Each structure stands twice: as structure tokens, then as C-alpha cells.
Amino acid sequence: MGAASSSIVRSEPFAGKLCGLEDVPENCITAMFMYMEPPEICLLARVNKSFHRASRSDAVWEDKLPSNYKFLVRRILEDQQQVGVKDKLIYRKKEIYARLCRPNLFDAGTKEAWLDKRSGKVFLAISPKAMKITGIDDRRYWEHISSDESRFGSITYLRQIWWLEAVGKIRFEFAPGKYSLLFKIQLGKPIRKCGRKTCSLDQVHGWDIKPVRFQLSTSDGQCAMSERHLDESGRWVYHHAGDFVVENQNSPVWVKFSMLQIDCTHTKGGLCLDCVIICPFEYRGKYKYSD
């Protein structure tokens, strides 16, 4: 009985051999990656050649890309090529994902889009240069200040005005979901004093008399409005204008938004407008906002 058992063990061709990660079939690794977040996939790609090859699979990254990624490629990556960006247009899904996770300027540098690295959700930023703002070309009222705090390299500063109206719109193909729109605003002028960044409040006035109205509307009939006094000076605050829902895939939506204070009984000034942010609803807590 013992001799028979030992002969069976010796006849097994793989007896005594241990299996390692290099023995895992590549299709199994690919299936495993389908359930992981992109940073984890990129980390595991370093394990061995099989993991590296599986991490480049289009099947893996097709699942991670937002459903509107083909629109993003046309609107953003191809737009960059047309304005002379040297990067060669890529077609592998992993490379598309990596490119879209960068801050991508489009529409002559007045708008920016990027993906959240983990979720693949789309975020947008819109510069004041893409908006219609009362008196924006008159230096008595407004000035543009270079700033490394801005996604666009500069902010728009209001010295003083009677009628404030800042209106913008964007046509974009959003992935289905709920989105929030926020204005990034600061009361006070950013300055440098003794080599340090600080904020001058000398020209801040008029915002406590009447509230500012924030509005948004969409081409499919959704509307939102909020009003509030601006009373937080010396720091950037994201003011929540409202939310909208996108239900139809592959259907571009017009989103119009505005910030108004049109009571001409008093002047107001000392306000910085950096940009407007559109983000997935579940991510709006990422921004310090006022409701």
C-alpha cells in the first residue's frame, strides 16, 4: 500500500512544484482588474510581464472610461491637436484615460476638463474669459490679476460697479448622472506683502446690503436659483448655484449660469471671480461651498 502511494507521487509531473504569480493566466488577471480602481491597476502592473500586459488591455480601460469618452476625445484631445499641441493622438484606452485625467484646456483655453483618477467622473472648469460680464473691458471696473491659485493662471477682480451681471453657458455631452454648479469667489484682492501672500479688503463693500443671485438653467427645462449675502472675506468660497440631472446618454446639453446683483441703489466692489466648476453631485463636498 505504501509503495503504491509513493509511486503515484513520483509519477505526478508537477509534484513538488509551487505555483507563483507568473503562472496566473493573463485572462484571469484581466478579469480581476475589471473590479479594481485605476490607481490599483497601475500599481499591480509592476508585478510581472503578465500583469503589465493585462493592465494595458482595452477591455479593462473601456470599463473605466466614462460613457461619453468618445465625445471627450473629439471635443478635447482632437481640439488640442488642432491648436498645435504636440502630443500625438492616441487610441489605446489606457492612454486615453491617462490623457483625460490631466487638466485639459479647450475652447481657446477658456475651459478645462479632467477625470477623477479613481472614478473616471468628469469635472469642468469655466474661466471668466468665457463669460459675458458687465463692464469687463473697462479698467475702471475690472482688472485681470495673474495668480498661481487659479486653474487658468489669472483671476478677474472687480474694483467697483453699480450693476453686476456675469453670464456664461456651455454645450457639453455629460455622462448620465446628477451634477452641481459652483462659482469660485473671494472677497478681497490677493496681494504680496513682504514676500508673503495676503489679501487686501480695502475695496470690499456693498455685498451685505442686498444678496447676490446665482442661477442655472438647462436646455431640457431644468432651473435652479439661490440667493445669499457674500460675507466671507479673505478666502476662496465655492458658492453653490444649483444642481441638474442628465438622463440621456450621447445627447449634448446646454447649461446656462449666472451671478447677478443688479440693484443700482449702491455700488459693490472688492470681489474676485476665479471660475465656475461643474462636478458630479457626489463630489461637491470636495469643495468648500456655501449654500
Side-chain angles (χ1 to χ4, degrees):
M1 183 74 174
S5 298
S6 62
S7 65
I8 292 173
V9 170
R10 282 195 300 272
S11 67
E12 296 242 355
F14 300 106
K17 183 179 178 182
L18 296 176
C19 291
L21 288 174
E22 64 275 7
D23 299 308
V24 179
E26 193 174 312
N27 60 341
C28 292
I29 301 170
T30 300
M32 177 181 70
F33 282 164
M34 302 285 280
Y35 296 94
M36 292 185 175
E37 293 181 337
E40 296 169 339
I41 295 171
C42 294
L43 187 63
L44 288 172
R46 305 174 187 175
V47 170
N48 58 37
K49 290 181 179 179
S50 295
F51 276 71
H52 179 72
R53 286 193 298 269
S55 75
R56 293 175 58 82
S57 168
D58 280 351
V60 171
W61 294 98
E62 179 94 33
D63 185 63
K64 308 303 176 187
L65 283 162
S67 60
N68 63 336
Y69 83 89
K70 291 181 181 178
F71 167 82
L72 299 176
V73 170
R74 292 194 307 271
R75 180 73 184 275
I76 298 170
L77 301 187
E78 292 181 1
D79 180 67
Q80 289 176 350
Q81 277 209 318
Q82 291 171 9
V83 297
V85 175
K86 293 181 180 178
D87 288 347
K88 189 168 113 180
L89 191 60
I90 33 78
Y91 295 99
R92 291 194 70 91
K93 301 297 191 296
K94 181 181 181 180
E95 293 166 350
I96 291 174
Y97 192 95
R99 283 278 296 276
L100 290 175
C101 284
R102 302 178 194 171
N104 292 284
L105 292 171
F106 64 104
D107 284 2
T110 62
K111 301 180 182 74
E112 187 177 73
W114 67 98
L115 300 186
D116 176 72
K117 290 181 180 179
R118 287 193 172 276
S119 67
K121 297 290 183 71
V122 181
F123 290 69
L124 291 173
I126 301 155
S127 164
K129 293 180 181 178
M131 301 171 65
K132 293 183 179 179
I133 302 175
T134 309
I136 191 64
D137 297 321
D138 194 326
R139 293 186 179 180
R140 293 174 299 171
Y141 305 131
W142 295 91
E143 66 176 297
H144 298 287
I145 303 172
S146 296
S147 172
D148 57 9
E149 295 181 291
S150 172
R151 306 191 72 92
F152 298 96
S154 68
I155 57 176
T156 302
Y157 176 69
L158 172 64
R159 292 190 176 101
Q160 179 173 290
I161 206 165
W162 290 89
W163 178 291
L164 172 64
E165 186 171 14
V167 180
K169 61 181 179 179
I170 183 171
R171 184 178 184 270
F172 204 78
E173 186 180 302
F174 294 92
K178 188 175 182 179
Y179 296 85
S180 295
L181 188 143
L182 308 101
F183 282 79
K184 184 182 178 184
I185 295 170
Q186 175 179 276
L187 293 184
K189 183 177 183 179
I191 59 172
R192 283 191 174 272
K193 194 171 184 179
C194 300
R196 298 178 62 186
K197 291 181 182 179
T198 185
C199 190
S200 171
L201 306 181
D202 294 346
Q203 293 180 309
V204 176
H205 68 284
W207 305 108
D208 57 342
I209 299 173
K210 291 290 179 69
V212 174
R213 177 180 297 175
F214 298 94
Q215 297 180 138
L216 77 82
S217 61
T218 65
S219 53
D220 59 358
Q222 299 177 70
C223 297
M225 184 192 76
S226 61
E227 289 187 340
R228 70 186 64 92
H229 292 89
L230 306 185
D231 54 10
E232 296 187 62
S233 300
R235 67 190 186 98
W236 291 103
V237 177
Y238 292 85
H239 291 272
H240 181 223
D243 306 316
F244 62 96
V245 176
V246 175
E247 295 180 347
N248 299 324
Q249 190 170 322
N250 304 322
S251 179
V253 177
W254 276 103
V255 181
K256 184 177 180 180
F257 47 89
S258 62
M259 178 177 72
L260 309 169
Q261 216 294 16
I262 55 178
D263 187 330
C264 292
T265 60
H266 64 285
T267 61
K268 38 265 176 189
L271 176 141
C272 290
L273 174 59
D274 178 32
C275 65
V276 169
I277 295 286
I278 299 178
C279 67
F281 176 80
E282 62 270 28
Y283 283 85
R284 70 176 186 162
K286 174 181 177 181
Y287 302 99
K288 171 63 180 174
Y289 69 92
S290 174
D291 252 328

